[in-house]
Amino acid sequence: MVIKITLPGETPVEILFYHPTFDVTQWTPLLQRHLPHARLRAWQTGDNAPADYALVWHPPHEMLRGRTHLKAIFVLGAGVDSLLSRLNEHPDLLPPGVPLYRMEDTGMAAQMQEYAVSQVLHWFRRFDDYAALQREARWEPLEEYRHADFTVGVLGAGVLGGQVAQRLRGWGFPVRCWSRSRKTYSDIESFVGADELSAFLRGTRVLINLLPNTPETAGIINAGLLAALDDNAYVLNLARGAHLVEDDLLSALDSGKVKGAMLDVFHQEPLPAQSLLWRHPHVRITPHVAAVTRPDEAAAFIAQSISRIERGDAPQNQVDVTRGY
């Protein structure tokens, strides 16, 4: 559905665009379908011309520096850590007083649900075990797992984590979540903060990580956390590579404490060819594709957000820079 947005006075809106792989010529007609007076230009070195808004992903330092007249900056993805992590090195990367917004959903929640549900069912139906038997040409029906013994714990219960948790609950799994604040999802246990982390981990068979990447959550999936999971646990990392201590996961896999891992994100991307994760028999890898920005839906969200700002209203999903999300 196309929502035509009319701005006061039909004033042209000047928008700077930077993304290392997206083509601005693809985004221009998509945004103009909703916001006809939007004028996008791809930022290039030396471009200091005025702009009202900026759409960015991994922007160069010099693109945003000093642009205090911007009305807002939109990050073209669910996470903002790639930008905020550079503030120590470049404190003036974000112009003071300019609000920063992240994508609310734009199709990412559905993608995360598909990814998480498909993998949890893969483990629950023991397809990993049957794949191992196939390699040995062994015909051997295995004992079924029971839903009651397959508790799924979701680290992070924001927009994406909450929807993943609710979708898995619909498949009959016991589901719990751990986050900064108490959640009230139906039939899902909610755990909060460091004091309740041990209780959250105890009895968790499948751990799904959808935490924001902040200094407090870096390295949270470490040897101590993995040891607190149920025996023969599974780990699904869909958030950021910084959350996982990869050597600790490999040790837990080798010891049998963790039975399998599905990883979409890594400390270094692309994952180096020499990484042991590539060759571990109980690790499956995808190249950071669990949920990608869909331009159609992102353009509609950005257009509506710009309309709200132009009319004096505050859009949703402003980033708290001090918290990191």
Side-chain angles (χ1 to χ4, degrees), residues 26-134:
Q26 177 189 15
W27 282 72
T28 300
L30 294 175
L31 197 58
Q32 287 178 339
R33 289 174 66 198
H34 306 278
L35 200 63
H37 284 67
R39 298 196 304 209
L40 271 73
R41 74 175 188 269
W43 181 86
Q44 296 179 350
T45 302
D47 180 353
N48 296 313
D52 300 301
Y53 298 92
L55 313 183
V56 302
W57 186 251
H58 294 282
H61 171 224
E62 58 269 28
M63 175 188 178
L64 299 176
R65 180 180 55 198
R67 289 188 176 272
T68 56
H69 296 295
L70 286 173
K71 298 177 184 179
I73 299 168
F74 293 89
V75 178
L76 296 172
V80 294
D81 50 290
S82 64
L83 194 155
L84 297 183
S85 63
R86 296 161 58 199
L87 288 178
N88 287 336
E89 183 180 356
H90 299 292
D92 59 344
L93 175 65
L94 291 179
V98 177
L100 178 68
Y101 295 94
R102 59 179 173 81
M103 297 292 99
E104 180 181 20
D105 180 349
T106 63
M108 291 186 184
Q111 295 175 72
M112 285 293 191
Q113 289 173 335
E114 292 165 354
Y115 194 114
V117 169
S118 65
Q119 187 57 40
V120 171
L121 290 176
H122 180 91
W123 286 325
F124 179 69
R125 291 302 307 268
R126 306 196 66 170
F127 292 149
D128 55 335
D129 293 322
Y130 284 119
L133 291 173
Q134 180 181 344

Side-chain angles (χ1 to χ4, degrees), residues 7-272:
L7 300 179
E10 296 291 6
T11 303
V13 176
E14 300 289 343
I15 303 174
L16 270 182
F17 184 96
Y18 182 87
H19 194 291
T21 58
F22 288 170
D23 186 347
V24 69
T25 61
Q26 177 189 15
W27 282 72
T28 300
L30 294 175
L31 197 58
Q32 287 178 339
R33 289 174 66 198
H34 306 278
L35 200 63
H37 284 67
R39 298 196 304 209
L40 271 73
R41 74 175 188 269
W43 181 86
Q44 296 179 350
T45 302
D47 180 353
N48 296 313
D52 300 301
Y53 298 92
L55 313 183
V56 302
W57 186 251
H58 294 282
H61 171 224
E62 58 269 28
M63 175 188 178
L64 299 176
R65 180 180 55 198
R67 289 188 176 272
T68 56
H69 296 295
L70 286 173
K71 298 177 184 179
I73 299 168
F74 293 89
V75 178
L76 296 172
V80 294
D81 50 290
S82 64
L83 194 155
L84 297 183
S85 63
R86 296 161 58 199
L87 288 178
N88 287 336
E89 183 180 356
H90 299 292
D92 59 344
L93 175 65
L94 291 179
V98 177
L100 178 68
Y101 295 94
R102 59 179 173 81
M103 297 292 99
E104 180 181 20
D105 180 349
T106 63
M108 291 186 184
Q111 295 175 72
M112 285 293 191
Q113 289 173 335
E114 292 165 354
Y115 194 114
V117 169
S118 65
Q119 187 57 40
V120 171
L121 290 176
H122 180 91
W123 286 325
F124 179 69
R125 291 302 307 268
R126 306 196 66 170
F127 292 149
D128 55 335
D129 293 322
Y130 284 119
L133 291 173
Q134 180 181 344
R135 288 191 291 270
E136 300 176 11
R138 289 173 56 192
W139 181 281
E140 182 181 340
L142 300 172
E143 182 180 354
E144 292 183 329
Y145 289 145
R146 300 188 317 132
H147 284 83
D149 301 326
F150 222 76
T151 296
V152 178
V154 181
L155 286 170
V159 172
L160 299 179
Q163 293 196 47
V164 165
Q166 292 175 85
R167 179 58 62 89
L168 283 163
R169 185 69 191 94
W171 280 89
F173 296 104
V175 178
R176 55 181 58 169
C177 63
W178 181 82
S179 55
R180 183 186 180 108
S181 59
R182 189 80 62 192
K183 306 301 181 183
T184 57
Y185 302 125
S186 178
D187 294 327
I188 295 174
E189 285 188 278
S190 177
F191 296 82
V192 178
D195 291 343
E196 298 183 17
L197 181 58
S198 294
F200 164 81
L201 297 169
R202 190 165 50 249
T204 291
R205 183 71 180 277
V206 179
L207 183 74
I208 300 176
N209 179 39
L210 281 163
L211 286 167
N213 184 16
T214 68
E216 292 75 25
T217 62
I220 190 171
I221 306 176
N222 54 30
L225 182 145
L226 296 170
L229 296 171
D230 258 10
D231 290 340
N232 294 310
Y234 298 93
V235 174
L236 178 56
N237 191 14
L238 301 177
R240 288 291 184 268
H243 292 129
L244 174 65
V245 180
E246 293 174 356
D247 286 345
D248 288 357
L249 175 63
L250 287 167
S251 295
L253 287 162
D254 290 340
S255 72
K257 176 64 180 182
V258 172
K259 186 174 180 182
M262 185 77 181
L263 308 177
D264 185 58
V265 290
F266 304 89
H267 279 276
Q268 183 177 342
E269 296 182 359
L271 183 64

